[in-house]
Amino acid sequence: MAFKPADKIQDLQYFGEFGGVNPSISDSSTYTFLSAKTMFDTFEGNADGCYLYSRHSTPSNLYLGQALAAMEGTETANVAASGMGAITPAILQLCKAGDHIISSRTIYGGTYAFLKNFAPRLNIETSFVDITKLDEVEAAITEDTKIIYCETVSNPLLEIADIEALSKISKKHGLQLLVDNTFSPLSVSPAKLGADVVLHSLTKFINGSSDTMGGVTCGTQEFIDNLRNVNDGANMLLGPAMDSLRAASILKNLRTLHIRIKQHSENALYLAEKFEADGLKTVYPGLKSHPGHKLFKKMMNEEYGFGGMLTVDVGGIDKANKLMELMQERNLGYLAVSLGFYKTLFSAPGSSTSSEIPEDEQKAMGLSDGLIRFSIGLDNDIQRTYQMMRECMVEVGVL
């Protein structure tokens, strides 16, 4: 039977302290114990259902974590204050000095910078590979490799990772497969395809209103318990704790995610098909011309479409900047990083979200300076949006 992620979220029901339809927010940094023994047991990790300190967990954070675990089909989840606050502790929990990571060459700039520039300080090395070439992935494995890391849909080139195949490779070699699913919530369920850990920046589509940061690590009960362990848990000791008020706010927005993702996907597919027909170099997983189109189709939960992200290469940074400035002037969206907002967001990744990647490496992976990354909004009349965008493109000489 097909996995239905939105149903899993809908089936969760929480009551507030006074019967509210939203769970009560626990606005406390620390929690009382009726006995000293229970406090001792909680520090030892032996007291289920007891709250200790907000850096460890809170009722509000657990509600959100449960809902996200249900969505991804994992045993449980742990929320953090940002996407990077989820990603870096997950990696550090699994790796120690001398260990090796294999990562997709196209990933979010912050993750790339962590693996390339920061992890080597801890004597953790990373090999960056073309994740779409499975023989390249397997050839990079050494006796010190602990993790294969990728994004379902890569940032910003929208390459598609074959999660099922990568899972087989990771299991064969005793590795952990970590998948960042930020670009494709609901559309793809990586844990159901064999991923060991699923990560999200909640800041993006899941929250959807560009008003807060958040991250989540979805995985087994054992792994999440390890992350929260008071003695050696990376999430506990590095302190990327989410605030309870923010957790409650994201949980409310999560309930409309299925409606929003369908609209993002519908709008993005419409624009991608129009831009491609206009002769623009357009990349979108929903286009038959996309090298990963069939693979995405095989992996996807069909009703949610191919996501809200697309790229258009306009040939150079000057044209890209002129076009983005004009589109912003015409109220078509914002020249801003991030994604998943109700309005369209656009940026040139080479000089923004992927600027941490050196220019020669950007060129090697096909990231040109004229590439514009679009996070398509929830526009009600997408035909009107297309006409207005096309007028801007003609005006600046892109068309």
Side-chain angles (χ1 to χ4, degrees):
M1 195 173 151
F3 181 64
K4 301 276 190 182
D7 290 0
K8 299 292 182 187
I9 298 169
Q10 188 184 323
D11 290 347
L12 289 170
Q13 194 160 351
Y14 303 119
F15 294 97
E17 190 181 351
F18 304 104
V21 294
N22 288 307
S24 303
I25 300 168
S26 174
D27 198 17
S28 295
S29 62
T30 190
Y31 294 82
T32 55
F33 291 88
L34 295 178
S35 79
K37 168 128 187 11
T38 313
M39 182 184 277
F40 172 77
D41 286 344
T42 306
F43 267 98
E44 292 295 303
N46 301 325
D48 281 344
C50 289
Y51 298 98
L52 172 69
Y53 183 57
S54 284
R55 179 158 44 84
H56 183 254
S57 195
T58 71
S60 302
N61 290 15
L62 284 177
Y63 289 137
L64 177 59
Q66 280 173 352
L68 292 163
M71 180 186 84
E72 287 296 357
T74 61
E75 287 179 3
T76 190
N78 187 64
V79 295
S82 69
M84 289 303 292
I87 291 165
T88 53
I91 291 168
L92 293 175
Q93 192 67 35
L94 293 166
C95 292
K96 62 183 187 312
D99 285 345
H100 174 250
I101 296 167
I102 293 167
S103 169
S104 170
R105 62 186 182 162
T106 62
I107 50 172
Y108 169 58
T111 314
Y112 177 91
F114 173 73
L115 293 174
K116 177 90 177 189
N117 304 328
F118 196 93
R121 296 190 201 173
L122 309 172
N123 197 20
I124 297 167
E125 298 299 328
T126 302
S127 297
F128 294 94
V129 299
D130 182 341
I131 207 73
T132 64
K133 294 182 177 161
L134 297 170
D135 53 345
E136 215 177 284
V137 174
E138 196 152 19
I141 296 170
T142 74
E143 60 182 21
D144 297 319
T145 307
K146 293 293 185 290
I147 287 173
I148 296 175
Y149 186 95
C150 68
E151 296 170 349
T152 308
V153 181
S154 80
N155 186 357
L157 296 183
L158 311 184
E159 291 177 341
I160 310 301
D162 188 338
I163 296 164
E164 227 166 344
L166 290 167
S167 172
K168 281 178 187 156
I169 292 170
S170 68
K171 281 175 175 52
K172 178 179 159 188
H173 295 276
L175 311 177
Q176 292 283 298
L177 176 61
L178 274 62
V179 179
D180 181 339
N181 201 34
T182 300
F183 275 28
S184 41
L186 298 182
S187 294
V188 180
S189 303
K192 294 297 173 186
L193 299 167
D196 296 292
V197 178
V198 182
L199 301 149
H200 282 272
S201 167
L202 303 176
T203 315
K204 315 300 193 305
F205 287 109
I206 287 175
N207 185 51
S209 48
S210 287
D211 59 355
T212 187
M213 293 188 298
V216 68
T217 311
C218 305
T220 62
Q221 188 70 52
E222 184 186 11
F223 182 60
I224 301 304
D225 285 347
N226 288 342
L227 282 174
R228 285 202 285 244
N229 189 293
V230 294
N231 296 310
D232 59 8
N235 271 84
M236 182 64 178
L237 299 177
L238 296 173
M242 177 176 277
D243 179 76
S244 290
L245 293 165
R246 285 307 192 189
S249 163
I250 295 169
L251 181 60
K252 291 185 190 101
N253 287 355
L254 179 66
R255 290 166 181 159
T256 61
L257 180 65
H258 60 293
I259 302 166
R260 292 185 282 111
I261 289 293
K262 287 175 188 179
Q263 189 71 34
H264 284 302
S265 293
E266 189 182 308
N267 285 354
L269 180 62
Y270 180 86
L271 289 178
E273 286 175 343
K274 287 291 189 185
F275 292 156
E276 189 171 62
D278 285 334
L280 292 167
K281 192 176 168 190
T282 309
V283 176
Y284 180 67
L287 294 174
K288 289 191 174 78
S289 59
H290 190 293
H293 174 70
K294 282 183 180 165
L295 173 60
F296 195 105
K297 213 167 175 182
K298 191 179 97 174
M299 295 194 299
M300 76 194 284
N301 301 312
E302 214 157 319
E303 62 186 300
Y304 303 106
F306 294 88
M309 304 301 297
L310 65 87
T311 67
V312 175
D313 196 331
V314 298
I317 190 66
D318 292 340
K319 268 188 181 171
N321 288 341
K322 272 183 196 162
L323 177 59
M324 291 189 292
E325 285 166 9
L326 186 59
M327 287 192 298
Q328 179 166 255
E329 205 178 290
R330 303 268 165 90
N331 296 331
L332 285 161
Y334 296 104
L335 204 177
V337 299
S338 202
L339 48 123
F341 193 40
Y342 82 97
K343 287 275 276 187
T344 294
L345 303 176
F346 30 82
S347 60
S351 53
S352 60
T353 52
S354 296
S355 59
E356 297 95 334
I357 302 171
E359 270 182 47
D360 57 331
E361 290 181 39
Q362 286 186 27
K363 277 188 186 133
M365 64 176 66
L367 173 49
S368 76
D369 64 0
L371 191 82
I372 299 175
R373 187 190 77 177
F374 287 84
S375 167
I376 304 303
L378 300 173
D379 309 31
N380 184 54
D381 186 349
I382 198 64
Q383 291 90 343
R384 171 177 171 264
T385 298
Y386 164 68
Q387 290 301 336
M388 291 172 72
M389 283 184 172
R390 195 179 192 286
E391 283 162 23
C392 293
M393 289 170 174
V394 169
E395 220 167 299
V396 300
V398 167
L399 285 175

